[in-house]
Amino acid sequence: MLDKGLHNVRRKPIDKSKIGFFCCFCLPPLLLYILFCVYPIVSSLYTSFFEWSGYDELSADYFVGLQNYIAVLTDSEFLAAIKNDFLIILGKEVIIVVLTVLFAVSLTRLRFHRVEAGIYRFVFFLPNVLSVVIIAIMWTFVLDPNFGILNPLLRAVGLERLIPVTGWTFEYPLGVITFVASWCGIGLFMLILITAINGISKELYESATIDGAGEWRQLRYITMPAVWQQAKFIVITILYQSFSSNFTMVQAMLGSTTNEKSVVMGMFVYQHSFDSQRPQVGYSYAAAIIMLVITAAVSLLANKLMSRGTDIHE
């Protein structure tokens, strides 16, 4: 009886409009994502288990298992690259977040004229529309020990003792990269925070002012809790973008001739594959997979920690 009852139940007709919508708007992006994102990762993971130069045909004769990963993780240059990446990211997080909050609060809470505030926004955002090559050329000119403009300015104010003999980029490569990358990354995040701050009810600030709260207390108890989600987005975006953008900035300002003082993980992968007379493609792919795992793990950890901060503020 139960079986007959089930057979008598009419099946719900398939909604053809949903199938058509999926085929038109969801399937093409999914296929492109698999082709350009998933497939390269899977292919790199597979190749990382082989000792392959990239020229001859890949075969089972070159299979080495986990030897590439062990070699990468015991390579002092790669370990130095991990340390350099995290130092640059830490410096960028501190500089960008602090200055972004400072500039956003200043342009929204202080009584600037509308035209004046617009000019400041344009000036701060301008580095975001410049290419990395232009930024690298500009700052290389500024920091050049022979014809740069920074050293004469330091001599003019009596700070010539701060000038390094071998040049800024050679003596302090990580500091230079961190400063330049932070300088060109503030504008976009500043606009995000400005939009969030403008969405806060002015009545909250008026009530806080009546109760005797100053600007710093208003920043701590009103502004920051209200924009915490945007701050979380900024921190995590800087984090996962930096692992790839660090290579671009190092390549543009220092070139491929790096050492343990300036190498980053992206540069390490590049040097052992495309920029080598004897490429070690399997070895470099193993380093790339390790870099991917580190990026994902650190991003997830930062997201979890920031989520706890969200719960506290709520």
Side-chain angles (χ1 to χ4, degrees):
M1 294 295 292
L2 181 60
D3 293 338
K4 291 182 178 180
L6 292 175
H7 284 297
N8 292 330
V9 175
R10 294 182 178 179
R11 295 182 179 179
K12 186 178 181 181
I14 299 175
D15 192 345
K16 295 182 179 180
S17 63
K18 292 183 178 180
I19 297 177
F21 181 85
F22 175 80
C23 293
C24 293
F25 296 98
C26 299
L27 188 59
L30 178 61
L31 294 176
L32 290 175
Y33 177 78
I34 294 174
L35 178 62
F36 292 105
C37 295
V38 177
Y39 174 74
I41 294 176
V42 175
S43 177
S44 299
L45 178 62
Y46 175 77
T47 308
S48 67
F49 295 107
F50 293 81
E51 185 179 356
W52 185 48
S53 64
Y55 294 111
D56 49 355
E57 184 177 355
L58 186 63
S59 66
D61 296 335
Y62 298 99
F63 182 79
V64 294
L66 296 176
Q67 290 184 14
N68 285 331
Y69 290 91
I70 296 173
V72 169
L73 292 174
T74 55
D75 192 325
S76 61
E77 186 180 5
F78 185 76
L79 297 179
I82 296 176
K83 182 191 71 173
N84 294 339
D85 263 312
F86 277 101
L87 289 175
I88 294 174
I89 292 172
L90 179 61
K92 288 175 64 176
E93 291 282 9
V94 173
I95 296 174
I96 293 179
V97 171
V98 171
L99 292 183
T100 295
V101 173
L102 177 63
F103 293 151
V105 172
S106 298
L107 293 176
T108 52
R109 299 293 299 143
L110 300 181
R111 295 181 179 179
F112 286 110
H113 192 271
R114 180 175 298 181
V115 176
E116 187 179 6
I119 293 174
Y120 286 138
R121 294 183 188 184
F122 172 77
V123 171
F124 291 140
F125 184 76
L126 183 61
N128 288 93
V129 301
L130 300 177
S131 69
V132 176
V133 176
I134 294 176
I135 293 172
I137 292 174
M138 181 179 67
W139 280 104
T140 300
F141 171 76
V142 172
L143 300 173
D144 188 272
N146 298 319
F147 53 84
I149 62 176
L150 178 60
N151 290 349
L153 290 176
L154 292 176
R155 293 190 184 97
V157 296
L159 297 177
E160 61 273 2
R161 64 182 181 278
L162 300 178
I163 301 175
V165 179
T166 55
W168 293 96
T169 55
F170 184 84
E171 188 71 23
Y172 308 107
L174 294 185
V176 170
I177 296 299
T178 302
F179 170 77
V180 175
S182 301
W183 173 80
C184 62
I186 293 174
L188 176 61
F189 299 128
M190 181 195 68
L191 293 182
I192 293 174
L193 275 191
I194 287 176
T195 303
I197 293 174
N198 287 333
I200 303 173
S201 175
K202 295 182 179 179
E203 296 177 355
L204 293 175
Y205 291 106
E206 293 174 356
S207 300
T209 303
I210 294 174
D211 292 338
E215 291 293 336
W216 287 106
R217 293 179 65 86
Q218 293 180 25
L219 173 64
R220 179 180 178 182
Y221 294 105
I222 298 178
T223 304
M224 291 310 301
V227 302
W228 186 254
Q229 288 294 339
Q230 287 75 17
K232 172 184 173 182
F233 169 79
I234 292 172
V235 170
I236 296 176
T237 301
I238 295 172
L239 186 62
Y240 75 76
Q241 283 185 347
S242 294
F243 283 104
S244 58
S245 63
N246 287 348
F247 159 70
T248 307
M249 190 62 67
V250 170
Q251 173 73 8
M253 294 200 68
L254 305 179
S256 301
T257 57
T258 56
N259 50 36
E260 292 189 2
K261 292 176 58 178
S262 57
V263 67
V264 293
M265 285 187 286
M267 180 61 69
F268 182 90
V269 173
Y270 176 76
Q271 288 176 338
H272 287 83
S273 54
F274 302 104
D275 195 43
S276 176
Q277 294 181 352
R278 300 180 61 184
Q280 299 173 285
V281 177
Y283 184 78
S284 65
Y285 279 11
I289 295 298
I290 294 174
M291 178 180 172
L292 176 63
V293 172
I294 292 174
T295 304
V298 174
S299 299
L300 291 174
L301 178 61
N303 186 44
K304 186 175 182 179
L305 294 176
M306 295 291 288
S307 297
R308 289 183 180 179
T310 303
D311 296 336
I312 293 174
H313 282 87
E314 290 178 352

